[in-house]
């Protein structure tokens, strides 16, 4: 159920000489909320596309939800187990009606016609779009589009959900909507993998992976990874504002007890000093 | 004045059942060399405003003056406007089309009347200004560059005409932190060298770092106009308009609520750090 | 990048069909209008990049959908237009598969020129059969398919091969002659 | 421009509006055949009255039902002229080089013109009384017998659905690209034909690149959602054709038969 175990995953695209992934290890337990952080081009999207065998494993070992991704007989079960939402909300719809689009995945797995409408409306309700079946995706806001795309994935009841930079093109409101939906799913026991370069989005995660140039350079809890500016800078990312302030205050001779991750924690730490 | 906008109004799909006002009676002016941010909830009319200000939509009601000239006046030479006003749209990398970066960056200079040598110099200047290696990329296809490099190449294409004013629409979307940082540095530098910059964005952090003045559009009206610190100071109003403020401003608000004496017109980390230090050292002299 | 999957070909074909509607609208918006034959371009691109079955579908469905949505081309004109475009899609697709001279542009031009000729000849024949059995003269064909369409033909010849090349540069379709690891490049 | 695709459709409640779209579309094909088969004066009288009755039943304002006919008048003139001037007749009224004017030619020109006008009116009635999506669905369901000759009907209908879905996005995109290139100094509107032709690549290349990029991303998303071709999917629910639809089809078929056997 919902676990991921990968060892020494290495991958190179045909047009590139340097490998995009270079000996990556990853291990995720069922039900965890996981953030994979890294700048553009670090290989994070390439990595997750191995989880549902969109990319064929070239070297290394990878088993997802107990399925070996090399096992071609299990390909379709694997794809049903791992749902994926992508970056561009406009490029995920197959139909001009939200309801038909959410049904797309179900039809691919030959779910009987009679069961489809129920599953579609349940999935739409889960993302807060109940009753949107007859709407056109083009007339929705960015956040609504991404939630409709999410519904299309959730209708298949995946054990693992991958959000491949699903918030990158949204405005702050849309971004919050998608993050809230991700939290909600994790509460229901789904393993959620978030790919992002926004460090703040990784704060609520159970586990953070940090990637750079095709390598996994750190793995741990947010407290372990996000509080080390050197590590984040090595990956081309900036630490969250409270962490930055914590370290700058220390340089100025003011030592806080704990390194805070959120603004609230920061405020509390500072008050304790006063 | 770079821009003078006088009682500008615009209606979508005029005369149809879908008629909706996009802008209503908007007036403001922007001086030479200002760095102005524009924020507004999706659908507030800011992209219409941007198109009107860039002369890409005719203004049916109201006037747009650029450097004192009415750009919708009959007989106004639009090619002059194109040379003094650069516009960078969202995802500008989708405009790239030439076979080499050099040709693509030179596209806007085609009708400029400059000599081949001058064009070459301008192109080199633009490519180097955005931080790309001129000798490496000039002969490459822009389509084969990485995502971040494509964005830079597209920006170089806008800068090559050396516009006096630059309008940007969501320039930071899709960039990673380093790309964003580099872009903001570039904009601040161009602004310091005298370019008027007008940046439409949802990215309150970037605006907080770079812009000095902020306009807020709400449902087609100009809801706020002032120094960005002042506009961000009223977080409740910002929330009412469906907008967030920069993280530094938010942190300052939280700290103040906990009793720390931090000024509330902070917009960037650059201002936050000394303010916190001052507050911790007992609120004495800075 | 290896060969394109069937799903990818299918969706590229769908995009070309949509462009058969969107491009004429865009051209119309700035007055370039139909002299440049904007609907032909996506069909050639589809045939050249996705293969003949997809080119065929694009040639039929492109004008048909446009016709159903806007009546442009009017449904009455549709049959001959469909014949013409379907032939473009099929012939350009088949030739791209057969002709392999090791030079991309040579392959493209051979496929394109033969497809253009075949499409116009067959459409002329179809028009003669459907509308005016026996009476549709050579002169009318020459005027309809060669003379009035020269700006469009020029655009097709100048633009389509370099567009295919650009799509390869952007890695949206596979390289036809990938450079080998030793670095010698064949274009 | 980027809102829903309404096409030409004008909502209404007439018999033509309410008729099953599949019947309407197949009837339309039969009627085109009938028009082409028509060859005598008597035959024309019958066909014309039949089509006029259909147009009347649609309750569309006449100026709208004949809209595209009037728009295409210059084209008709050219077609007519070509036939009049170049029809090779045994009994020319006047001849100069390949130019031949004859009674036969004039009759031929009129004949062709009449056919085109009739078919145009028919196609107007069809597209004005049927919502585009219903028309698409009708065409799809009428295609299903093609699977017996090896056409992958499931894949084709998927492609068509995706294509229609792409249209609003691509329309907006072409508009955005045109605006962006205008801002960079491109000039599309002005100049001679050749200048305008040269101005096209800055528009066309980005449009195709962006359309292909979108298609590429969508294809990946579809594979991730388990798509592996049209065959492996839940079957579409199909509704039987209503009696009224069959009746309409029968009438159209009868007209065809009359044109073949009686006239």
């Amino acid at each position: 159920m919902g676990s991921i175990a990968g060892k020494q995953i290495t991958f190179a695209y045909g047009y590139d000489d340097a490998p995009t992934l270079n000996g990556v290890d990853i291990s995720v337990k069922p039900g965890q909320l996981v953030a994979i952080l890294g700048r553009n081009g670090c290989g994070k999207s390439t990595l997750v596309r191995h989880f549902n065998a969109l990319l064929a494993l070239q070297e290394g070992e990878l088993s997802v939800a107990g399925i070996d991704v090399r096992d071609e007989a299990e390909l379709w079960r694997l794809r049903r187990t791992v749902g994926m939402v992508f970056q561009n909300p406009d490029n995920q719809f197959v139909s001009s009606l939200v309801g038909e689009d959410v049904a797309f995945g179900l039809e691919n797995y030959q779910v009987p016609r009679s069961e489809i409408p129920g599953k579609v409306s349940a999935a739409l309700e889960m993302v807060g779009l109940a009753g949107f079946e007859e709407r056109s995706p083009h007339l929705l806001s960015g956040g609504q589009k991404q939630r409709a795309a999410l519904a299309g994935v959730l209708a298949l009841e995946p054990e693992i959900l991958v959000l491949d930079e699903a918030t990158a093109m949204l405005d702050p409101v849309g971004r919050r909507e998608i993050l809230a939906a991700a939290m909600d799913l994790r509460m229901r026991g789904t393993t959620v993998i978030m790919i992002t370069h926004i460090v703040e989005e990784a704060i609520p995660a159970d586990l953070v992976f940090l990637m750079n140039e095709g390598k996994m350079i750190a793995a741990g809890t947010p407290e372990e990874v996000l509080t080390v500016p050197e590590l984040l800078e090595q990956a081309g990312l900036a630490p969250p504002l409270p962490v930055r302030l914590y370290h700058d205050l220390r340089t100025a001779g003011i030592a806080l007890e704990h390194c805070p991750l959120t603004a609230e924690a920061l405020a509390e730490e500072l008050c304790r000093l006063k | 004045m770079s821009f003078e906008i006088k009682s500008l109004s615009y209606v979508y799909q005029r005369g149809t059942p879908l008629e909706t006002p996009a802008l209503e009676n908007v007036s403001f002016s922007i001086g030479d060399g200002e760095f102005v941010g524009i924020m507004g909830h999706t659908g507030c009319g800011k992209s219409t405003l941007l198109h009107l200000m860039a002369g890409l939509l005719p203004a049916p009601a109201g006037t747009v003056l650029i450097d004192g000239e009415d750009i919708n006046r009959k007989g106004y030479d639009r090619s002059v406007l194109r040379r003094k006003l650069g516009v960078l749209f969202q995802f500008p990398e989708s405009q790239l089309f030439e076979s080499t970066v050099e040709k693509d960056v030179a596209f806007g200079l085609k009708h400029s009347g400059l000599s081949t040598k001058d064009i070459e110099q301008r192109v080199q200047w633009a490519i180097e200004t955005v931080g790309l290696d001129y000798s490496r990329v000039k002969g490459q296809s822009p389509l084969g560059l990485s995502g971040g490099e494509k964005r830079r190449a597209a920006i170089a294409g806008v800068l090559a005409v050396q516009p006096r004013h630059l309008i940007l629409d969501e320039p930071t979307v899709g960039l990673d932190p380093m790309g964003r940082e580099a872009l903001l540095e570039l904009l601040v530098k161009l602004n310091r060298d005298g370019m008027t910059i007008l940046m439409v964005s949802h990215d309150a952090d970037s605006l907080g770092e770079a812009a000095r003045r902020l306009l807020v559009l709400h449902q087609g009206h100009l809801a706020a106009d002032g120094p960005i610190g002042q506009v961000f100071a009223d977080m409740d109003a910002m929330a009412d308009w469906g907008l967030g403020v920069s993280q530094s401003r938010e942190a300052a608000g939280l700290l103040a609520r906990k009793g720390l004496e931090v000024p509330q017109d902070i917009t960037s980390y650059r201002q936050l750090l000394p303010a916190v230090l001052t507050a911790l050292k007992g609120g004495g002299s800075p | 990048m290896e060969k394109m999957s069937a799903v990818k070909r299918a969706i590229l074909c769908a995009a070309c069909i949509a462009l058969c509607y969107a491009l004429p609208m865009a051209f119309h918006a700035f007055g370039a209008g139909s002299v440049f034959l904007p609907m032909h371009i996506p069909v050639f691109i589809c045939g050249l990049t996705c293969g003949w079955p997809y080119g065929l579908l694009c040639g039929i469905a492109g004008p048909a959908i446009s016709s159903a949505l806007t009546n442009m081309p009017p449904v009455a004109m549709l049959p001959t237009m469909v014949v013409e475009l379907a032939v473009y899609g099929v012939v350009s697709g088949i030739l791209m598969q057969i002709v392999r001279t090791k030079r991309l542009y040579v392959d493209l031009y051979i496929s394109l020129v033969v497809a253009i000729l075949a499409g116009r000849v067959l459409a002329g024949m179809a028009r003669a059969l459907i509308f005016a059995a026996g009476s549709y003269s050579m002169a009318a064909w020459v005027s309809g398919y060669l003379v009035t369409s020269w700006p469009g033909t020029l655009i097709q010849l100048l633009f389509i091969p370099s567009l295919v090349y650009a799509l390869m540069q952007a890695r949206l379709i596979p390289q036809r002659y990938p450079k080998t690891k030793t670095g010698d490049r064949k274009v | 421009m980027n809102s829903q695709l309404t096409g030409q459709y004008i909502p209404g409640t007439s018999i033509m509006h309410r008729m099953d779209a599949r019947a309407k579309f197949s009837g339309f094909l039969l009627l085109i055949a009938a028009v082409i088969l028509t060859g005598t004066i008597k035959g024309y009288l019958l066909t014309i009255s039949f089509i006029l009755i259909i147009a009347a039943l649609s309750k569309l304002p006449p100026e709208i039902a004949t809209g595209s006919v009037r728009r295409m008048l210059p084209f008709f003139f050219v077609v007519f002229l070509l036939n009049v001037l170049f029809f090779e007749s045994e009994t020319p009224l006047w001849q100069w080089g390949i130019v031949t004017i004859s009674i036969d030619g004039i009759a031929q020109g009129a004949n062709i013109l009449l056919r085109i006008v009739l078919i145009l009116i028919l196609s107007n009635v069809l597209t004005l009384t049927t919502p585009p999506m219903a028309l698409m669905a009708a065409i799809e369901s009428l295609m299903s017998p093609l699977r017996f000759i090896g056409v992958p009907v499931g894949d084709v209908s998927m492609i068509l659905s995706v294509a229609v879905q792409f249209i609003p996005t691509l329309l907006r995109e072409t508009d955005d690209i045109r605006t962006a290139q205008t801002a960079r100094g491109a000039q599309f509107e002005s100049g001679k034909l050749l200048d305008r032709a040269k101005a096209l690549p800055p528009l066309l290349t980005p449009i195709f690149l962006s359309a292909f990029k979108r298609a590429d991303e969508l294809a990946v998303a579809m594979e991730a959602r388990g798509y592996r071709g049209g065959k492996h999917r839940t079957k579409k629910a199909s509704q039987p054709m209503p009696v009224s639809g069959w009746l309409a089809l029968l009438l159209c078929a009868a007209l065809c038969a009359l044109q073949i056997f009686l006239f």
Side-chain angles (χ1 to χ4, degrees):
Chain A
M1 285 290 287
S3 63
I4 296 171
K7 277 207 183 76
Q8 291 301 305
I9 301 167
T10 297
F11 183 88
Y13 288 101
Y15 50 77
D16 240 350
D17 298 333
T20 307
L21 293 178
N22 198 349
V24 170
D25 293 339
I26 185 166
S27 162
V28 175
K29 290 196 195 79
Q32 279 185 319
L33 175 65
V34 176
I36 303 182
L37 277 174
R39 67 175 140 199
N40 293 344
C42 73
K44 53 194 194 298
S45 284
T46 303
L47 174 64
V48 294
R49 281 171 195 213
H50 285 85
F51 294 174
N52 58 356
L54 282 175
L55 290 174
L57 191 61
Q58 289 173 347
E59 271 176 56
E61 299 295 326
L62 177 61
S63 113
V64 175
I67 305 170
D68 182 349
V69 297
R70 281 206 177 91
D71 188 350
E72 280 184 33
E74 294 280 24
L75 177 64
W76 301 105
R77 193 162 74 86
L78 178 68
R79 293 235 169 121
R80 192 171 180 169
T81 309
V82 185
M84 210 174 258
V85 178
F86 296 87
Q87 184 176 20
N88 193 327
D90 284 321
N91 302 347
Q92 295 180 60
F93 292 98
V94 296
S95 169
S96 312
L97 290 176
V98 171
E100 277 183 17
D101 191 83
V102 175
F104 172 74
L106 296 167
E107 289 171 359
N108 289 336
Y109 289 100
Q110 300 183 333
V111 172
R113 175 68 51 197
S114 56
E115 294 173 22
I116 289 181
K119 285 183 189 278
V120 168
S121 56
L124 282 171
E125 202 178 320
M126 225 190 284
V127 298
L129 294 178
F132 271 56
E133 280 91 341
E134 298 293 315
R135 300 277 279 267
S136 163
H138 306 287
L139 303 177
L140 303 180
S141 73
Q144 286 175 328
K145 280 182 200 170
Q146 278 301 59
R147 282 190 284 150
L150 181 59
V153 170
L154 295 185
L156 290 167
E157 294 159 36
E159 291 168 28
I160 299 171
L161 174 71
V162 179
L163 300 173
D164 188 357
E165 304 216 44
T167 62
M169 287 172 68
L170 302 180
D171 62 17
V173 179
R175 181 170 296 160
R176 273 199 298 276
E177 288 173 2
I178 292 300
L179 292 177
M183 299 299 165
D184 191 38
L185 278 168
R186 182 249 201 152
M187 298 305 280
R188 293 163 194 255
T190 309
T191 309
V192 180
I193 318 263
M194 289 196 312
I195 311 297
T196 180
H197 58 238
I198 302 169
V199 280
E200 285 78 14
E201 289 184 358
I203 292 171
D206 299 308
L207 195 57
V208 178
F209 290 97
L210 194 59
M211 286 186 73
N212 189 41
E213 289 178 354
K215 291 199 170 112
M216 199 63 93
I217 59 171
T221 62
E223 289 74 20
E224 289 164 353
V225 178
L226 303 181
T227 53
V228 192
E230 297 77 29
L231 214 49
L232 290 165
E233 271 152 28
Q234 194 193 331
L237 303 173
L241 183 135
V243 175
R244 197 172 162 193
L245 194 64
Y246 167 85
H247 285 277
D248 283 342
L249 287 178
R250 236 170 58 158
T251 316
I254 301 171
L256 301 184
E257 215 169 301
H258 303 285
C259 180
L261 279 175
T262 62
E264 287 80 4
L266 171 73
E268 259 162 47
E269 287 290 327
L270 286 176
C271 287
R272 212 171 302 162
L273 262 188
K274 245 187 94 178
Chain B
M1 285 289 148
S2 311
F3 296 91
E4 281 173 81
I5 310 298
K6 291 182 193 158
S7 32
L8 200 58
S9 296
Y10 195 84
V11 178
Y12 282 131
Q13 320 216 6
R14 184 182 289 281
T16 73
L18 295 168
E19 185 174 299
T20 34
L23 287 178
E24 279 182 82
N25 203 16
V26 171
S27 304
F28 60 89
S29 52
I30 293 173
D32 277 338
E34 278 201 72
F35 195 135
V36 181
I38 298 187
M39 286 184 89
H41 193 256
T42 309
C44 69
K46 53 190 190 316
S47 83
T48 309
L49 176 65
L50 189 151
H51 281 76
L52 288 167
M53 289 180 74
L56 294 163
L57 268 181
T63 45
V64 178
L65 304 185
I66 297 182
D67 296 333
E69 280 199 87
D70 183 350
I71 60 167
N72 290 299
R73 175 173 57 86
K74 259 212 176 112
Y76 178 77
D77 186 0
R78 281 294 166 90
S79 59
V80 172
L81 177 64
R82 298 286 158 250
R83 250 168 280 145
K84 65 178 172 196
L85 174 67
V87 188
L88 192 77
F89 285 97
Q90 200 170 3
F91 301 112
E93 51 274 24
S94 66
Q95 308 157 14
L96 301 170
F97 71 99
E98 281 282 15
S99 53
T100 66
V101 173
E102 197 176 22
K103 280 193 206 166
D104 209 294
V105 172
F107 176 68
L109 296 169
K110 240 180 193 170
H111 308 285
S112 62
L114 289 176
S115 71
T116 326
K117 199 162 163 269
D118 287 344
I119 289 184
E120 212 182 289
Q121 269 177 358
R122 288 267 196 108
V123 169
Q124 180 171 359
W125 168 81
I127 291 178
E128 282 169 356
T129 301
V130 297
L132 289 173
D133 178 352
Y134 176 70
S135 54
R136 179 175 70 88
V137 299
K138 65 171 179 178
Q140 275 187 19
S141 163
L143 309 174
L145 300 176
S146 79
E149 289 173 331
K150 273 190 210 172
R151 174 86 47 110
R152 284 161 191 247
I155 297 172
V158 173
L159 293 183
V161 293
Q162 300 190 336
R164 291 185 54 198
H165 319 298
L166 183 61
I167 297 182
L168 306 106
D169 187 8
E170 297 288 358
T172 59
V173 170
L175 292 178
D176 59 23
M178 288 204 341
R180 191 188 76 106
E181 205 61 42
L183 175 68
L184 289 180
E185 258 170 47
L186 171 65
L187 293 181
V188 168
K189 182 183 169 297
L190 290 169
N191 179 244
R192 217 183 300 127
D193 295 345
M195 196 183 279
T196 316
I197 292 186
L198 190 69
M199 174 166 153
V200 173
S201 184
H202 281 299
D203 183 353
D205 287 325
S206 294
L207 288 177
E209 269 174 58
R212 273 166 286 165
R213 175 177 160 200
L214 185 68
L215 308 181
V216 175
L217 275 182
H218 184 61
Q219 295 177 347
H221 295 272
L222 190 62
D225 177 1
I228 187 162
Q230 229 172 61
V231 181
F232 274 6
D234 193 350
M235 289 206 288
D236 294 338
M238 289 295 281
D240 284 345
W241 298 319
L243 302 171
V245 294
S246 63
Q247 291 188 48
S248 300
R249 166 66 189 102
E250 240 173 90
L254 269 171
L255 295 181
R257 227 175 294 157
K258 296 269 177 186
L260 221 59
E261 273 178 52
V262 184
Q264 296 301 294
D265 60 351
I266 275 174
T267 60
S268 68
Y269 184 77
R270 231 180 17 255
Q271 299 161 319
L272 180 67
L273 177 63
V276 170
L277 280 172
T278 314
L280 287 177
K281 281 172 185 158
S285 57
Chain C
M1 206 189 295
E2 320 93 67
K3 270 183 69 180
M4 291 193 282
S5 72
V7 176
K8 181 162 171 187
R9 280 167 204 263
I11 305 310
L12 291 182
C13 173
C16 288
I17 293 173
L19 284 173
C20 282
Y21 175 88
L23 271 190
M25 298 281 277
F27 276 45
H28 190 71
F30 61 87
S34 52
V35 284
F36 293 128
L37 308 174
M39 201 182 283
H40 294 199
I41 301 170
V43 179
F44 283 117
I45 295 291
C46 185
L48 293 170
T49 59
C50 302
W52 73 265
Y54 299 97
L56 172 67
L57 179 60
C58 184
I60 298 172
I65 286 187
S66 181
S67 192
L69 292 178
T70 58
N71 214 13
M72 278 312 287
V75 184
M77 305 291 118
L78 194 56
T80 48
M81 184 131 184
V82 162
V83 170
E84 185 182 358
L85 296 195
V87 172
Y88 292 156
V90 171
V91 173
S92 59
I94 290 179
L95 285 175
M96 263 318 251
Q97 216 171 350
I98 302 174
V99 180
R100 297 192 81 94
T101 61
K102 300 267 179 223
R103 291 191 178 277
L104 174 66
Y105 273 105
V106 177
D107 296 0
L108 284 169
Y109 269 109
I110 292 176
S111 310
L112 184 62
V113 170
V114 176
I116 290 176
L117 290 174
R120 296 201 180 163
V121 168
L122 283 168
M125 286 164 65
R127 185 170 286 191
L129 287 175
I130 293 173
F131 282 120
S135 67
Y136 188 78
S137 67
M138 195 66 188
W141 176 74
V142 169
S143 113
Y145 280 96
L146 298 183
V147 179
T148 57
S149 68
W150 74 265
T153 312
L154 191 70
I155 289 282
Q156 286 161 13
L157 291 174
L158 285 179
F159 176 70
I160 289 174
S162 60
L163 180 54
V164 175
Y165 181 68
L167 291 168
M168 286 181 186
Q169 286 287 301
R171 298 189 193 122
L172 291 166
I173 55 172
Q175 291 284 338
R176 187 168 174 86
Y177 301 115
K179 55 177 178 180
T180 49
K181 284 280 174 193
T182 51
D184 65 288
R185 198 190 201 144
K186 294 167 193 156
V187 170
Chain D
M1 160 157 194
N2 52 9
S3 54
Q4 257 162 336
L5 294 165
T6 48
Q8 297 230 301
Y9 177 61
I10 297 178
T13 54
S14 73
I15 298 183
M16 291 308 293
H17 279 93
R18 280 177 288 141
M19 189 181 290
D20 186 279
R22 287 165 295 180
K24 232 188 292 186
F25 186 74
S26 354
F28 167 76
L29 294 180
L30 282 172
L31 288 179
I32 289 187
V35 168
I36 291 168
L37 291 166
T38 306
T40 63
I41 305 268
K42 262 193 260 169
Y44 264 121
L45 283 177
L46 184 64
T47 307
I48 292 174
S49 17
F50 197 94
I51 290 174
L52 286 182
I53 291 173
I54 289 179
L57 284 177
S58 72
K59 300 222 172 113
L60 293 164
E63 68 274 14
I64 291 180
T66 58
S68 59
V69 177
R70 279 177 290 124
R71 272 202 305 279
M72 293 182 65
L73 279 178
F75 170 75
F76 293 154
F77 181 72
V78 173
V79 170
F80 184 70
L81 213 64
L82 283 173
N83 278 282
V84 169
L85 294 180
F86 298 112
F87 191 81
E88 285 159 29
S89 168
E90 310 266 288
T91 55
L93 296 174
W94 184 74
Q95 193 163 20
W96 182 74
I98 55 161
V99 177
T100 317
I101 295 182
S102 66
I103 299 285
D104 299 347
I106 295 172
Q108 178 68 26
N111 189 14
I112 291 175
L113 222 56
L114 195 55
R115 286 180 186 179
I116 299 180
V117 169
L118 287 175
I119 295 177
L120 270 182
I121 294 178
L122 278 174
S123 60
N124 275 349
V125 171
L126 178 71
T127 49
L128 288 165
T129 61
T130 322
M133 296 318 292
L135 197 56
M136 292 282 302
I139 296 172
E140 269 177 35
S141 81
L142 289 172
M143 273 183 342
S144 63
L146 291 177
R147 81 169 66 97
F148 298 114
I149 58 165
V151 176
V153 176
D155 294 298
V156 170
S157 94
M158 191 73 236
I159 291 175
L160 295 183
S161 165
V162 171
V164 172
Q165 182 282 133
F166 262 137
I167 287 176
T169 315
L170 291 183
L171 279 179
R172 198 185 53 218
E173 183 105 22
T174 51
D175 215 39
D176 287 352
I177 290 171
R178 186 161 55 91
T179 316
Q181 301 293 37
T182 308
R184 282 175 79 190
Q187 288 162 357
F188 300 114
E189 284 90 353
S190 52
K192 291 204 190 74
L193 198 61
L194 201 65
D195 292 333
R196 280 190 286 150
K198 276 195 223 147
L200 289 177
L203 186 68
L204 283 172
T205 310
I207 289 175
F208 273 92
L209 287 168
S210 139
F212 269 52
K213 182 158 186 284
R214 289 181 183 282
D216 185 37
E217 289 181 17
L218 179 59
V220 171
M222 286 171 68
E223 286 187 78
R225 289 170 74 185
Y227 184 70
R228 49 183 142 161
K231 257 185 280 181
H232 306 269
R233 309 194 71 221
T234 312
K235 295 277 169 293
K236 281 232 162 28
S238 67
Q239 279 162 351
M241 176 108 84
V243 180
S244 61
W246 287 115
L247 267 177
L249 277 186
L250 205 65
L251 277 174
C252 297
L255 182 70
C256 273
L258 280 177
Q259 297 297 355
I260 296 175
F261 297 113
L262 283 187
F263 300 109

